[in-house]
Amino acid sequence: MSLRVALVSVLFFLSVPFLGADAPASRYIVFGETVACSSPVILRQGRLYVPLNESCQWLRVEANLQGETVTLRGRGGEARPPVAMSNGTRYVPAGALAEAASADIVWDAAQRTLVISGRLQDVFMEGSVLRLSLASPGKPPRWRIGRLHNPERLFIDLPGLRCVRLGSKEFAGSPVARIRTGQFKPEIARVVIELRQKASARWQPTEDPSLMEFLLEPETGRKRMEKPPRYSTEKPPAASNITKAPPKKSSIPAQVTNIRIESADESKARIWVETSGSARSKPFFLRNPVRLAVDVQNATLGALGSIDVPENPIVKGIRAAQFKTDVARIVLDLSRMVTFSVVSSSNPSGFWMELGMPEGSPGSLPGKTVVVDPGHGGKDTGTRGLSLRLLEKDINLDIALRLESLLRAAGVNVLLTRREDVFISLSDRVAFAEANAADFFISIHCDNSGGSRSVSGTKTYYHGRRPENIPLAQAIQSGLVGSMGTRDQGVRADTTVYGIGFHVIRNTDMPGVLVETAYLSNPDEEALLSDPAVRQKGAEGICNGLKVFVEGYDAEGAGR
C-alpha cells in the first residue's frame, strides 16, 4: 500500500523554531469540511504528528494503546506506531495513521491548515458511464458538476478527495475525447471531461461504496444539467433524495424501431439499434448462462418483428422485450464470452453494439498452460476466520490443488506458484508465470469484510487498466457462483481496492484474474469453506468458467 503524506510547503519547516515545537493549525479540513480541533499539529524528530483521538474519530480508525505504542486498524490495514505526548494529548505519526486509514494527510504551512482526505484512485469509462474508484474512510463524497467552454468540457469537483495520480486518459469511439484528473484545491479533487460533442453528466447510485458513477448523455437540444444531491449522512441517500423527478410527460420520448446485425465474422460482430429519438443505453452482463443485456432507458419497443441473426460464432440470438414502462431491454444470447462497447450515434438516432473476441479465446483448453496461484503462504497467513479460525492460506492452497487435478484431467498444463505452506513473494509469483509463458493466470483468495460478520459472497477481480480481461473474469465469476451457490458480488476492477491494483494481475502479461471465493469473516461462509465438498465445488466452478471462456458454451458440459 502506498503511503502518501505530503508536507506541501517548505515554509512548514521554517515556521518551526526548534525540534518538537508545535505548529498550531488555524483550521482542520476533514473530508472537505472544516472541523473544530484545539490540539495543534507537531513536528518531532522530522516527523509530522497529529492528535490521536480526534484523528482516529475522523478517519474511523480503531486504536488500541499498548504502552508506548498503539495498534491502529482501519480500512487500509494495520499499523503500530509510537505514541508521543504533548500537553496531556496523545499524538501519532501522520504517516502511520494515513497508512492504516488508506487516506491522505497534508499539512499546508502557507495556509496553516491540516487537510485530511480520501483518495481518488482511478477513473475509467464503461460505455457511457464514467466510473471513479475511491478509497475514502469518511462519509460518502459530495460532488459538484459544472461546465466549461471553448473547448467544451464538463468538470466534477469532489471535496474531501485527493488524486492518487495526476494525468489524463484518452478514449476513442465515444462522446468523451479525454479525461483529466487534478487537484483543484488541496481539499478538492477535480475530474475534467473533454467532449467531442455536447453532453451532460448525471450522478447515479451504486451498491459499491468504493465506486462513484456518472452517466454521460449526449445533448440533442438545449438542456440544463440536473443539480446533484449532497450527502448529509454516511448512508446512501433515499431514492427520493437522489434527484428531483422530472415532470411527467404524456408520452415516452423514444421508440426502439430497428435491431439488426450489421456485420459478423470469426472475430467480431456489429449490431445496430435504432431509436426514434434520444435514449440512454446501459449495457451489462446477465449470468448462468452469461448473456449481454442492454437496457434502453426512456424508450419503448416499436413494431420490430422477428430479428434475423445470420450464422456466426458469437451471437446465437437476439431478443427484445419491454422490461419496464420506460425501459426496453435487448438480450443477446452468446456462444462465448465477448468484449463489447457501445457507441452512440445522433444521425440517425441510435447506437452501435460492437462485440469482439477477447485474448485467449476462441480455442481449445487442452494444451493451454495455466498458472494457479494460491494466495499467501508461510509467514503470510492471509485473513483468519472469526469462528473456526481457519487460515486463508490453507483454504487457498486446498482449492488450488483441487483445481490442478481438474485441469490436468482436461488436458491442461497446470503449474502452481506454491504446492505447500511456504512464503512466495508477489514478484516471484509474477516471474514464475512469465518464465513459463502461461496462457492464463488465476490467483485464489478468501475475503475479509474488515469488521462486519454479515458481508458475504463471491467476487472476481481483473486489473483495472486491462478491461480486455473482463470477459475472463465474468466467465470465472459465473462458474464460481453457479457451482458454490454463494451470493454474486460481481466482477470488479482491482483498482477499486488499491489505486494501482493487485500486484500479481497488474504485472503479469497474460490474461489473469484474482478470485475471492467467500468471506472468512462471515461465520456461515467460513463453515462452508471448512467443508471439502464446497472447496471442490469452488475448484469446479473456476475450471468450468475457464472452459466456457476458451471454448464457448457449446463445449460439452461447459457452463451448464
Side-chain angles (χ1 to χ4, degrees):
M1 178 175 297
S2 62
L3 178 61
R4 302 181 66 241
V5 178
L7 304 181
V8 297
S9 173
V10 295
L11 293 177
F12 171 78
F13 297 100
L14 299 178
S15 69
V16 181
F18 58 91
L19 190 65
D22 295 350
S26 59
R27 61 175 179 159
Y28 286 75
I29 298 180
V30 181
F31 303 118
E33 298 180 356
T34 301
V35 299
C37 182
S38 59
S39 302
V41 298
I42 290 179
L43 182 70
R44 179 167 295 172
Q45 296 178 351
R47 304 174 76 179
L48 180 67
Y49 280 72
V50 293
L52 173 63
N53 290 340
E54 293 92 338
S55 299
C56 285
Q57 290 175 7
W58 296 330
L59 291 167
R60 301 182 182 180
V61 170
E62 176 187 343
N64 293 317
L65 287 167
Q66 299 157 336
E68 297 182 354
T69 64
V70 61
T71 299
L72 303 173
R73 294 187 181 91
R75 67 170 293 155
E78 187 173 286
R80 293 184 178 86
V83 176
M85 294 291 295
S86 178
N87 297 323
T89 299
R90 292 186 177 90
Y91 284 80
V92 291
L97 188 63
E99 180 179 0
S102 189
D104 278 9
I105 301 178
V106 175
W107 168 245
D108 186 342
Q111 301 296 322
R112 307 199 67 78
T113 300
L114 188 77
V115 180
I116 296 179
S117 306
R119 296 172 180 172
L120 173 59
Q121 301 189 119
D122 203 358
V123 299
F124 48 99
M125 291 289 299
E126 289 188 7
S128 58
V129 177
L130 169 66
R131 287 194 167 95
L132 310 182
S133 168
L134 315 174
S136 179
K139 297 177 181 179
R142 297 171 293 137
W143 68 92
R144 181 171 69 94
I145 303 173
R147 190 186 297 278
L148 301 169
H149 303 283
N150 299 321
E152 191 70 22
R153 291 154 291 161
L154 298 174
F155 68 83
I156 303 171
D157 282 346
L158 301 156
L161 294 178
R162 288 184 64 83
C163 295
V164 169
R165 62 178 66 83
L166 308 179
S168 64
K169 292 183 177 182
E170 295 185 0
F171 299 89
S174 77
V176 175
R178 185 168 63 155
I179 296 177
R180 294 183 283 117
T181 56
Q183 208 61 39
F184 180 58
K185 293 182 179 180
E187 71 277 14
I188 300 177
R190 171 168 283 188
V191 178
V192 177
I193 307 161
E194 298 181 4
L195 301 169
R196 290 190 175 89
Q197 64 187 84
K198 195 169 184 178
S200 62
R202 179 169 62 87
W203 174 84
Q204 58 186 23
T206 70
E207 295 181 357
D208 187 344
S210 66
L211 283 177
M212 291 184 74
E213 291 187 354
F214 295 86
L215 180 65
L216 303 182
E217 303 171 286
E219 293 186 358
T220 55
R222 187 175 181 86
K223 181 179 178 181
R224 183 178 179 181
M225 288 189 301
E226 298 175 16
K227 183 178 179 180
R230 299 173 72 88
Y231 282 101
S232 58
T233 68
E234 66 176 292
K235 297 180 180 179
S240 60
N241 295 329
I242 292 174
T243 56
K244 292 183 178 179
K248 291 185 177 179
K249 298 182 180 180
S250 59
S251 63
I252 300 297
Q255 274 194 337
V256 177
T257 57
N258 190 17
I259 304 172
R260 69 178 183 270
I261 293 187
E262 191 73 14
S263 61
D265 56 31
E266 294 299 317
S267 61
K268 62 183 181 297
R270 200 163 194 248
I271 299 166
W272 170 246
V273 178
E274 188 167 329
T275 59
S276 63
S278 177
R280 301 192 304 271
S281 59
K282 181 181 178 181
F284 56 95
F285 280 110
L286 299 170
R287 277 193 270 277
N288 293 320
V290 175
R291 292 146 289 156
L292 180 59
V294 179
D295 279 352
V296 187
Q297 299 172 332
N298 300 321
T300 58
L301 288 178
L304 295 178
S306 61
I307 303 172
D308 183 44
V309 180
E311 186 174 348
N312 70 91
I314 298 178
V315 181
K316 293 192 294 186
I318 301 177
R319 296 172 281 123
Q322 197 67 39
F323 182 63
K324 294 181 180 178
T325 304
D326 58 349
V327 177
R329 174 168 290 182
I330 303 167
V331 177
L332 277 61
D333 294 317
L334 303 174
S335 299
R336 58 182 62 254
M337 294 304 306
V338 297
T339 60
F340 73 91
S341 61
V342 174
V343 181
S344 298
S345 172
S346 57
N347 188 24
S349 295
F351 56 89
W352 295 99
M353 299 173 62
E354 298 182 344
L355 283 61
M357 295 290 194
E359 181 185 353
S361 172
S364 177
L365 193 56
K368 298 287 187 183
T369 297
V370 177
V371 168
V372 178
D373 174 43
H376 308 283
K379 64 181 180 181
D380 178 11
T381 62
T383 190
R384 182 191 293 269
L386 298 179
S387 299
L388 303 176
R389 311 302 289 171
L390 297 180
L391 295 179
E392 181 189 357
K393 64 176 183 178
D394 298 333
I395 302 298
N396 297 342
L397 181 58
D398 183 82
I399 294 175
L401 291 170
R402 294 172 185 274
L403 177 58
E404 178 189 34
S405 297
L406 292 169
L407 290 173
R408 284 200 192 283
V412 176
N413 176 31
V414 191
L415 301 168
L416 269 62
T417 55
R418 67 181 180 96
R419 304 186 59 81
E420 54 190 16
D421 186 17
V422 294
F423 174 78
I424 307 291
S425 70
L426 298 179
S427 58
D428 284 345
R429 295 169 193 255
V430 171
F432 178 80
E434 295 292 336
N436 286 282
D439 295 298
F440 299 100
F441 181 90
I442 301 171
S443 189
I444 299 174
H445 288 258
C446 303
D447 218 334
N448 188 311
S449 66
S452 172
R453 289 172 172 254
S454 62
V455 178
S456 64
T458 298
K459 56 179 173 280
T460 302
Y461 289 100
Y462 64 94
H463 182 46
R465 297 188 179 277
R466 296 183 64 185
E468 64 271 20
N469 286 339
I470 293 176
L472 174 61
Q474 290 283 1
I476 289 180
Q477 173 72 7
S478 182
L480 270 169
V481 171
S483 181
M484 295 181 68
T486 45
R487 176 173 171 261
D488 187 354
Q489 284 205 343
V491 164
R492 303 184 187 185
D494 59 353
T495 48
T496 62
V497 181
Y498 296 108
I500 59 175
F502 297 138
H503 185 97
V504 291
I505 54 175
R506 183 180 78 242
N507 292 295
T508 42
D509 289 334
M510 70 288 304
V513 296
L514 185 149
V515 302
E516 299 277 12
T517 54
Y519 280 80
L520 282 177
S521 53
N522 181 302
D524 293 335
E525 292 202 340
E526 183 185 11
L528 280 176
L529 290 173
S530 71
D531 185 349
V534 173
R535 299 197 295 271
Q536 180 68 22
K537 286 184 177 294
E540 290 171 357
I542 297 171
C543 182
N544 227 15
L546 184 59
K547 189 176 182 66
V548 164
F549 176 79
V550 176
E551 300 183 354
Y553 283 107
D554 292 334
E556 184 177 354
R560 306 301 183 190

